[in-house]
């Protein structure tokens, strides 16, 4: 995992070459996983748009906001070992998911019910077709 230090809520029209360069330094990419282009958060849409310019053999996308199910016919499914408890534990290791989001210009806190929506042990990804 490599953190790029990009500020939450400030990516629109932002440092695309920083993200693109970080991904391209990985070399030949067989699988690129990133946020869905129709995510409700503008930063997630920006990351999706930048990643679309990076060559990759296969792409998967995930939707963060709003957390909703992807139709079974369009999805790849990955099950987290350890179930719900493991997933909650993993979410809890990221400080950005707990309490107030301090690098967002308006600041906000993720509600318990929102975190619960992400704690399912099965992750669903949509195959991105070119």
């Amino acid at each position: 995992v490599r953190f790029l230090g990009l500020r939450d809520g400030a990516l629109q029209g932002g440092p695309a070459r920083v993200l693109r360069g970080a991904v391209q330094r990985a070399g030949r990419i067989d699988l690129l996983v990133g946020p869905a282009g129709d995510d409700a958060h503008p930063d997630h849409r920006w990351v999706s748009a930048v990643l679309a310019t990076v060559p990759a053999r296969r792409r998967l996308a995930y939707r963060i906001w709003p957390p909703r199910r992807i139709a079974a016919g369009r999805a790849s499914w990955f099950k987290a070992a350890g179930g719900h408890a493991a997933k909650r534990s993993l979410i809890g290791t990221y400080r950005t998911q707990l309490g107030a989001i301090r690098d967002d210009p308006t600041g906000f806190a993720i509600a318990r019910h929102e975190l619960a929506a992400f704690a399912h042990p099965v992750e669903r990804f949509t195959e991105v077709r070119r």
Side-chain angles (χ1 to χ4, degrees), residues 102-123:
R102 290 176 179 77
D103 66 344
D104 181 282
T106 60
F108 67 94
I110 297 175
R112 284 183 169 248
H113 73 278
E114 291 168 331
L115 281 176
F118 297 116
H120 299 287
V122 176
E123 291 290 332

Side-chain angles (χ1 to χ4, degrees), residues 10 14 16 31-32 38 46 56 60 62-63 72 81-82 89 93 107 117:
L31 176 63
L32 184 60
D38 65 349
W46 177 85
L60 295 177
Y62 53 88
R63 185 173 296 105
S89 175
T93 64

